[in-house]
Amino acid sequence: FVSECGTIMESLLNMADSLDKNDSLQRAIFTVYENVVEIVKGDFTTYAPRIVERALYAVNVTVDCRVVDENEMNEQKNNKRVFVLKTGSEFEGAKNIMLNTDSLHLKLEGARLLRALVEHMGTAFCPYVSKTLPTVAYNITFGKSKDYRIEMIATVKFLVLAC
């Protein structure tokens, strides 16, 4: 499999370049990147500049979470996948809490990819630590996902070990 990793990575990078950065297919591609870096370890440096940039973009994606009325909710649901929680009563006027789940999943998968890069590349990740650490430190308190915070904490541990 190691010998085919180069071909796989080039194909995936070309495919990812043709997609919007927020496309849900990016998450699946991130998972393959995680698997490849786990296998090739420090030899992943060939792809690291492009992949680290993509992971950092995903980690910094904004996750919309808003309270909206029924009319605005219908408009927003048509444009993206969202989680909707209805609150209030008929007398108070029903409100909806909307969370953009596509963005949340992309952010979480970006965090997993970043952790995998730091963990498996080891000291080969050192050139990216100064670019990565501020982003990780900023995102470690992200309030909308416990799994995300866990990934960020694990990433800090591996960043320390990378240097």
Side-chain angles (χ1 to χ4, degrees):
F1 181 74
V2 174
S3 60
E4 288 87 19
C5 285
T7 306
I8 292 168
M9 286 301 297
E10 287 304 323
S11 296
L12 287 174
L13 286 165
N14 289 334
M15 182 188 307
D17 286 342
S18 69
L19 299 171
D20 181 74
K21 286 183 175 184
N22 297 317
D23 192 300
S24 60
L25 188 54
Q26 295 283 6
R27 297 188 325 249
I29 293 171
F30 282 8
T31 303
V32 179
Y33 295 157
E34 291 169 41
N35 294 330
V36 172
V37 74
E38 185 177 356
I39 292 165
V40 300
K41 309 266 186 232
D43 292 336
F44 198 80
T45 55
T46 306
Y47 312 105
R50 291 162 64 185
I51 305 302
V52 169
E53 180 184 316
R54 292 162 199 246
L56 289 174
Y57 172 82
V59 165
N60 286 312
V61 164
T62 302
V63 178
D64 296 329
C65 184
R66 301 181 295 140
V67 177
V68 297
D69 64 23
E70 195 71 29
N71 294 333
E72 188 178 354
M73 185 207 56
N74 290 331
E75 291 173 17
Q76 293 294 321
K77 275 180 79 173
N78 292 334
N79 298 332
K80 51 192 156 196
R81 283 182 237 171
V82 295
F83 172 78
V84 177
L85 175 66
K86 293 185 182 264
T87 63
S89 68
E90 290 181 37
F91 302 110
E92 298 171 337
K95 294 289 183 186
N96 301 286
I97 299 172
M98 290 182 49
L99 176 70
N100 182 339
T101 55
D102 276 348
S103 295
L104 180 61
H105 290 291
L106 179 61
K107 189 172 187 83
L108 181 56
E109 200 55 51
R112 288 181 179 140
L113 173 57
L114 191 59
R115 185 218 13 95
L117 289 166
V118 179
E119 177 182 3
H120 297 296
M121 286 180 66
T123 56
F125 192 84
C126 205
Y128 308 100
V129 169
S130 62
K131 182 191 273 190
T132 305
L133 191 57
T135 299
V136 172
Y138 176 79
N139 283 285
I140 210 162
T141 59
F142 180 71
K144 296 178 180 99
S145 171
K146 180 181 177 181
D147 290 337
Y148 182 83
R149 289 189 305 274
I150 289 169
E151 290 296 333
M152 289 289 102
I153 291 167
T155 302
V156 169
K157 176 179 81 172
F158 292 118
L159 281 170
V160 170
L161 293 173
C163 290

